[in-house]
Amino acid sequence: MTTKIIGTGRCLPENIVTNDDLSKIMDTSDEWIASRTGIRKRHIAKEETTATMSAEAAKKALQQAGLSPEEIDLIIVGTITSDYVTPSTACEVQRMIGAKNAVAFDVNAACSGFMFALNTAHVYLQSGIYKNALIIGAETLSKIMDWSDRSTSVLFGDGAGAAVVTKGETGLLSFTQGSDGAKGMVLACKNRSNNNPLINTSKELEYTYMDGQEVYKFAVSKVPESIKKVLAEANLEPDDIAYFILHQANIRIIQSVAKRLKVSEEKFPISLDHCGNISAGSVPILLDEVNEKGMLKKGDKIVMAGFGAGLTWSACVMEW
Ligand code: COA
């Protein structure tokens, strides 16, 4: 027995911001952003929050799975932009959807957050502790961006994706996950400033910092390496895979991974053109788009992979 996905859902904020919109508030252009990243627009939350988007995505995934909220016994949300320090987004989702029998907690693994949530749920399900889990990747990254920094703020967007997982004869065939805290400062966001009057502190809040080239180098080596690892464990070749659902950071990273795996880029569905990078939200949002389009047939094997701040990374092979 393993862990299978039986429902997916997503929620994106209504407000859409194009590259041209950004060029009106900072020194950038559609040409610069699109040619270096593939991103043309992104959803930026106005009314929506990390928890409300998560709950909407969760309801859709539950409906597709044919399960009631009461049948969920585990909720894990991958996020770095929870609305509150506490309660967790997972506890907020539990309240909003009425999943009163669940235990709920968040994982902080940035762009690998949904994958870490999946792997964690898998281990709980396989041990027999829980039966049905709701896993979510959700972010409101717009609130942790330095909007005066054109090199980071143009890359990211907001949104949430969810999946319901349960035990099944087939599903997750192999997974890997890793982290390298020693390189953590190449993509970082400092927490709120300390206002303890007993010590000298700066009142200045800090926003997301990124060394883009270091992150790029990390991604183009670690992602193919981890995909090759899970393929070998599942005794599969890249050609056996129907689709590679990668974290949506940059089209050039995805093209490089396709090249290194010697696989056609057509097998790499894209959402970054209309969503930007939604960190933990990227993989489940893209999975739901692919699922909604009817691109996944029973027995298809897909690879999912996340990578980003921490540094963290994770990949898996899933039989649909
Ligand atoms: N619009 C216009 N110009 C911009 C710009 C923008 N939005 N952002 C940066 N620039 C400018 C820089 O100021 C710099 O100008 P200069 O040469 O006059 O100093 C120039 O463009 C090149 O900047 P640089 O940062 O060297 O660009 P790059 O070629 O490395 O591309 C990224 C930047 C971010 C697109 C690229 O590094 C990347 O994709 N890295 C991976 C990031 C990522 O995926 N992160 C998330 C992982 S989860």
Side-chain angles (χ1 to χ4, degrees):
M1 291 294 272
T2 184
T3 298
K4 66 175 178 181
I5 293 178
I6 56 169
T8 62
R10 69 182 186 280
C11 174
L12 293 164
E14 268 184 38
N15 177 40
I16 294 173
V17 176
T18 65
N19 292 345
D20 285 335
D21 293 331
L22 290 179
S23 70
K24 290 176 192 139
I25 59 165
M26 64 181 80
D27 183 14
T28 189
S29 64
D30 179 53
E31 197 283 325
W32 193 97
I33 301 169
S35 64
R36 279 177 179 73
T37 70
I39 299 166
R40 303 215 85 118
K41 54 190 175 182
R42 71 287 292 144
H43 295 251
I44 299 290
K46 279 186 174 171
E47 304 296 325
E48 302 87 349
T49 72
T50 301
T52 63
M53 292 188 289
S54 298
E56 280 311 305
K59 283 180 199 165
K60 290 175 188 162
L62 280 167
Q63 192 179 17
Q64 194 177 99
L67 290 184
S68 69
E70 292 82 3
E71 289 174 281
I72 294 294
D73 29 38
L74 174 64
I75 302 173
I76 309 178
V77 180
T79 187
I80 53 168
T81 49
S82 192
D83 303 327
Y84 297 94
V85 173
T86 190
S88 66
T89 299
C91 283
E92 284 282 278
V93 171
Q94 177 184 29
R95 175 177 65 77
M96 288 174 182
I97 67 171
K100 59 183 182 193
N101 299 313
V103 63
F105 58 89
D106 291 354
V107 295
N108 179 332
C111 309
S112 311
F114 176 79
M115 298 298 299
F116 278 35
L118 170 64
N119 302 336
T120 307
H122 171 64
V123 175
Y124 274 113
L125 263 48
Q126 294 314 301
S127 69
I129 297 174
Y130 300 121
K131 200 160 162 259
N132 302 314
L134 178 60
I135 50 172
I136 299 171
E139 306 288 3
T140 316
L141 295 170
S142 54
K143 68 185 178 189
I144 60 164
M145 286 303 127
D146 176 355
W147 286 94
S148 67
D149 176 6
R150 63 180 180 172
S151 65
T152 53
S153 57
V154 303
L155 304 175
F156 298 93
D158 302 333
V164 176
V165 291
T166 193
K167 266 176 139 175
E169 290 296 335
T170 190
L172 196 62
L173 301 182
S174 58
F175 78 89
T176 184
Q177 54 187 6
S179 37
D180 180 3
K183 299 213 180 84
M185 287 307 131
V186 303
L187 178 47
C189 180
K190 203 166 186 292
N191 214 331
R192 62 188 57 205
S193 64
N194 185 345
N195 68 354
N196 180 347
L198 301 172
I199 56 174
N200 288 328
T201 56
S202 153
K203 287 276 185 291
E204 199 182 330
L205 283 177
E206 292 193 34
Y207 296 96
T208 302
Y209 161 81
M210 182 175 70
D211 180 337
Q213 284 168 13
E214 280 303 313
V215 175
Y216 188 91
K217 278 190 257 170
F218 151 73
V220 297
S221 69
K222 194 50 91 176
V223 179
E225 179 190 311
S226 53
I227 292 176
K228 282 178 187 165
K229 188 172 175 206
V230 289
L231 285 174
E233 273 173 32
N235 214 7
L236 294 168
E237 296 294 328
D239 283 345
D240 299 322
I241 300 301
Y243 294 108
F244 295 79
I245 313 276
L246 260 53
H247 168 52
Q248 300 286 294
N250 184 313
I251 193 71
R252 289 178 170 179
I253 293 175
I254 292 170
Q255 288 164 340
S256 165
V257 173
K259 201 168 159 198
R260 286 180 195 222
L261 293 174
K262 301 190 177 66
V263 173
S264 161
E265 280 175 38
E266 285 174 12
K267 284 193 170 188
F268 290 73
I270 298 297
S271 63
L272 59 81
D273 56 341
H274 55 280
C275 288
N277 177 345
I278 312 183
S279 191
S282 282
V283 169
I285 288 168
L286 179 57
L287 179 67
D288 185 50
E289 286 190 3
V290 167
N291 192 19
E292 187 177 73
K293 287 179 188 153
M295 291 163 66
L296 300 173
K297 306 276 173 294
K298 194 170 165 25
D300 275 354
K301 293 172 188 73
I302 60 170
V303 161
M304 294 192 281
F307 54 92
L311 298 173
T312 58
W313 60 90
S314 177
C316 76
V317 180
M318 175 80 69
E319 184 169 324
W320 202 250

Short mmCIF file of all heavy atoms in Angstrom, two decimals, residues 288-319:
data_model
loop_
_atom_site.label_atom_id
_atom_site.label_comp_id
_atom_site.label_asym_id
_atom_site.label_seq_id
_atom_site.Cartn_x
_atom_site.Cartn_y
_atom_site.Cartn_z
N ASP A 288 -3.28 20.95 -9.96
CA ASP A 288 -4.73 21.10 -10.13
C ASP A 288 -5.08 21.57 -11.54
O ASP A 288 -6.06 21.12 -12.12
CB ASP A 288 -5.28 22.07 -9.08
CG ASP A 288 -6.80 22.14 -9.15
OD1 ASP A 288 -7.45 21.07 -9.15
OD2 ASP A 288 -7.35 23.25 -9.26
N GLU A 289 -4.26 22.46 -12.09
CA GLU A 289 -4.52 22.93 -13.47
C GLU A 289 -4.43 21.75 -14.45
O GLU A 289 -5.27 21.59 -15.32
CB GLU A 289 -3.50 24.00 -13.87
CG GLU A 289 -3.74 25.34 -13.21
CD GLU A 289 -2.86 26.47 -13.80
OE1 GLU A 289 -2.10 26.22 -14.77
OE2 GLU A 289 -2.95 27.58 -13.28
N VAL A 290 -3.39 20.94 -14.27
CA VAL A 290 -3.17 19.78 -15.15
C VAL A 290 -4.31 18.76 -14.98
O VAL A 290 -4.84 18.22 -15.95
CB VAL A 290 -1.79 19.15 -14.81
CG1 VAL A 290 -1.63 17.78 -15.43
CG2 VAL A 290 -0.67 20.08 -15.28
N ASN A 291 -4.70 18.55 -13.74
CA ASN A 291 -5.79 17.61 -13.44
C ASN A 291 -7.11 18.12 -14.03
O ASN A 291 -7.85 17.36 -14.65
CB ASN A 291 -5.89 17.48 -11.91
CG ASN A 291 -6.78 16.33 -11.47
OD1 ASN A 291 -7.05 15.42 -12.25
ND2 ASN A 291 -7.23 16.38 -10.24
N GLU A 292 -7.37 19.41 -13.86
CA GLU A 292 -8.62 20.01 -14.37
C GLU A 292 -8.72 19.89 -15.89
O GLU A 292 -9.80 19.70 -16.44
CB GLU A 292 -8.67 21.48 -13.96
CG GLU A 292 -9.98 22.16 -14.27
CD GLU A 292 -9.95 23.60 -13.77
OE1 GLU A 292 -9.25 24.43 -14.39
OE2 GLU A 292 -10.58 23.88 -12.75
N LYS A 293 -7.58 19.99 -16.55
CA LYS A 293 -7.57 19.89 -18.03
C LYS A 293 -7.73 18.45 -18.50
O LYS A 293 -7.72 18.18 -19.71
CB LYS A 293 -6.26 20.46 -18.60
CG LYS A 293 -6.21 21.98 -18.52
CD LYS A 293 -4.87 22.48 -19.07
CE LYS A 293 -4.72 23.97 -18.83
NZ LYS A 293 -3.32 24.39 -18.75
N GLY A 294 -7.80 17.49 -17.57
CA GLY A 294 -7.96 16.09 -17.94
C GLY A 294 -6.70 15.49 -18.54
O GLY A 294 -6.75 14.52 -19.30
N MET A 295 -5.54 16.07 -18.20
CA MET A 295 -4.29 15.60 -18.80
C MET A 295 -3.77 14.32 -18.13
O MET A 295 -2.87 13.68 -18.66
CB MET A 295 -3.22 16.70 -18.69
CG MET A 295 -3.52 17.91 -19.58
SD MET A 295 -2.58 19.39 -19.11
CE MET A 295 -0.89 18.91 -19.46
N LEU A 296 -4.31 13.99 -16.95
CA LEU A 296 -3.79 12.83 -16.21
C LEU A 296 -4.74 11.64 -16.35
O LEU A 296 -5.91 11.73 -16.01
CB LEU A 296 -3.61 13.19 -14.73
CG LEU A 296 -2.65 14.34 -14.45
CD1 LEU A 296 -2.69 14.72 -12.99
CD2 LEU A 296 -1.24 13.95 -14.88
N LYS A 297 -4.19 10.54 -16.85
CA LYS A 297 -4.99 9.31 -17.01
C LYS A 297 -4.55 8.31 -15.94
O LYS A 297 -3.39 8.30 -15.53
CB LYS A 297 -4.73 8.69 -18.40
CG LYS A 297 -4.95 9.66 -19.56
CD LYS A 297 -6.40 9.75 -19.99
CE LYS A 297 -6.64 10.84 -21.03
NZ LYS A 297 -6.44 12.22 -20.57
N LYS A 298 -5.49 7.45 -15.56
CA LYS A 298 -5.16 6.43 -14.56
C LYS A 298 -3.94 5.63 -15.02
O LYS A 298 -3.87 5.22 -16.18
CB LYS A 298 -6.38 5.51 -14.39
CG LYS A 298 -6.31 4.62 -13.17
CD LYS A 298 -7.64 3.92 -12.96
CE LYS A 298 -7.60 2.75 -12.00
NZ LYS A 298 -6.59 2.68 -11.01
N GLY A 299 -2.99 5.45 -14.13
CA GLY A 299 -1.78 4.70 -14.47
C GLY A 299 -0.63 5.58 -14.96
O GLY A 299 0.52 5.12 -15.01
N ASP A 300 -0.95 6.84 -15.31
CA ASP A 300 0.14 7.77 -15.69
C ASP A 300 1.09 7.95 -14.51
O ASP A 300 0.66 8.03 -13.36
CB ASP A 300 -0.44 9.16 -16.04
CG ASP A 300 -0.89 9.25 -17.48
OD1 ASP A 300 -0.67 8.29 -18.24
OD2 ASP A 300 -1.48 10.28 -17.83
N LYS A 301 2.36 8.07 -14.85
CA LYS A 301 3.34 8.37 -13.79
C LYS A 301 3.80 9.80 -13.95
O LYS A 301 4.14 10.22 -15.06
CB LYS A 301 4.51 7.40 -13.87
CG LYS A 301 4.07 5.99 -13.53
CD LYS A 301 5.14 4.98 -13.78
CE LYS A 301 4.57 3.57 -13.63
NZ LYS A 301 3.70 3.17 -14.76
N ILE A 302 3.77 10.54 -12.85
CA ILE A 302 4.23 11.93 -12.90
C ILE A 302 5.33 12.12 -11.87
O ILE A 302 5.43 11.37 -10.88
CB ILE A 302 3.08 12.94 -12.63
CG1 ILE A 302 2.44 12.73 -11.24
CG2 ILE A 302 2.02 12.87 -13.72
CD1 ILE A 302 1.49 13.84 -10.83
N VAL A 303 6.17 13.12 -12.14
CA VAL A 303 7.17 13.55 -11.16
C VAL A 303 6.71 14.90 -10.64
O VAL A 303 6.24 15.74 -11.39
CB VAL A 303 8.57 13.67 -11.82
CG1 VAL A 303 9.49 14.54 -10.98
CG2 VAL A 303 9.18 12.29 -12.01
N MET A 304 6.81 15.09 -9.33
CA MET A 304 6.60 16.42 -8.75
C MET A 304 7.89 16.80 -8.02
O MET A 304 8.53 15.94 -7.40
CB MET A 304 5.42 16.41 -7.77
CG MET A 304 4.09 16.12 -8.46
SD MET A 304 2.68 16.44 -7.38
CE MET A 304 2.68 14.97 -6.38
N ALA A 305 8.27 18.07 -8.11
CA ALA A 305 9.51 18.50 -7.45
C ALA A 305 9.41 19.94 -6.98
O ALA A 305 8.90 20.80 -7.69
CB ALA A 305 10.69 18.34 -8.40
N GLY A 306 9.88 20.16 -5.76
CA GLY A 306 9.94 21.51 -5.20
C GLY A 306 11.36 21.82 -4.76
O GLY A 306 12.14 20.91 -4.47
N PHE A 307 11.71 23.10 -4.75
CA PHE A 307 13.07 23.50 -4.34
C PHE A 307 13.04 24.98 -3.99
O PHE A 307 12.28 25.73 -4.58
CB PHE A 307 14.08 23.27 -5.49
CG PHE A 307 13.65 23.93 -6.77
CD1 PHE A 307 14.07 25.22 -7.09
CD2 PHE A 307 12.81 23.28 -7.66
CE1 PHE A 307 13.67 25.84 -8.28
CE2 PHE A 307 12.39 23.89 -8.84
CZ PHE A 307 12.82 25.17 -9.15
N GLY A 308 13.83 25.35 -3.01
CA GLY A 308 13.88 26.78 -2.68
C GLY A 308 14.52 27.06 -1.34
O GLY A 308 15.46 26.36 -0.92
N ALA A 309 13.98 28.08 -0.68
CA ALA A 309 14.62 28.61 0.53
C ALA A 309 14.78 27.53 1.60
O ALA A 309 14.01 26.58 1.69
CB ALA A 309 13.84 29.79 1.07
N GLY A 310 15.81 27.71 2.38
CA GLY A 310 16.15 26.78 3.46
C GLY A 310 17.65 26.53 3.56
O GLY A 310 18.24 26.80 4.57
N LEU A 311 18.27 26.10 2.48
CA LEU A 311 17.70 25.61 1.23
C LEU A 311 17.00 24.26 1.45
O LEU A 311 17.43 23.48 2.31
CB LEU A 311 18.80 25.45 0.16
CG LEU A 311 19.50 26.78 -0.21
CD1 LEU A 311 20.68 26.53 -1.12
CD2 LEU A 311 18.53 27.75 -0.88
N THR A 312 15.99 24.00 0.64
CA THR A 312 15.27 22.74 0.73
C THR A 312 14.97 22.22 -0.67
O THR A 312 14.91 23.00 -1.61
CB THR A 312 13.91 22.92 1.45
OG1 THR A 312 13.15 23.89 0.73
CG2 THR A 312 14.08 23.36 2.90
N TRP A 313 14.75 20.93 -0.76
CA TRP A 313 14.34 20.35 -2.05
C TRP A 313 13.63 19.03 -1.79
O TRP A 313 13.80 18.40 -0.73
CB TRP A 313 15.53 20.14 -2.98
CG TRP A 313 16.59 19.22 -2.44
CD1 TRP A 313 16.67 17.87 -2.60
CD2 TRP A 313 17.71 19.60 -1.61
NE1 TRP A 313 17.77 17.39 -1.94
CE2 TRP A 313 18.42 18.42 -1.33
CE3 TRP A 313 18.16 20.82 -1.09
CZ2 TRP A 313 19.58 18.42 -0.53
CZ3 TRP A 313 19.31 20.81 -0.30
CH2 TRP A 313 20.00 19.62 -0.04
N SER A 314 12.82 18.64 -2.75
CA SER A 314 12.10 17.37 -2.64
C SER A 314 11.57 16.98 -4.01
O SER A 314 11.22 17.85 -4.81
CB SER A 314 10.93 17.51 -1.66
OG SER A 314 10.20 16.30 -1.60
N ALA A 315 11.53 15.68 -4.26
CA ALA A 315 10.95 15.18 -5.51
C ALA A 315 10.25 13.86 -5.22
O ALA A 315 10.57 13.18 -4.24
CB ALA A 315 12.05 14.97 -6.56
N CYS A 316 9.30 13.52 -6.07
CA CYS A 316 8.64 12.21 -5.93
C CYS A 316 8.15 11.73 -7.27
O CYS A 316 8.01 12.50 -8.22
CB CYS A 316 7.47 12.30 -4.94
SG CYS A 316 6.01 13.09 -5.60
N VAL A 317 7.91 10.41 -7.34
CA VAL A 317 7.20 9.84 -8.49
C VAL A 317 5.85 9.38 -7.97
O VAL A 317 5.76 8.72 -6.94
CB VAL A 317 7.94 8.61 -9.09
CG1 VAL A 317 7.14 8.06 -10.28
CG2 VAL A 317 9.35 8.98 -9.53
N MET A 318 4.80 9.76 -8.69
CA MET A 318 3.43 9.43 -8.29
C MET A 318 2.73 8.74 -9.45
O MET A 318 2.75 9.24 -10.57
CB MET A 318 2.73 10.73 -7.91
CG MET A 318 1.27 10.66 -7.56
SD MET A 318 0.93 10.10 -5.88
CE MET A 318 1.51 11.44 -4.88
N GLU A 319 2.12 7.58 -9.16
CA GLU A 319 1.30 6.94 -10.21
C GLU A 319 -0.13 7.41 -10.02
O GLU A 319 -0.67 7.33 -8.92
CB GLU A 319 1.39 5.41 -10.12
CG GLU A 319 0.65 4.74 -11.25
CD GLU A 319 0.93 3.24 -11.35
OE1 GLU A 319 2.07 2.82 -11.08
OE2 GLU A 319 -0.01 2.51 -11.67
#
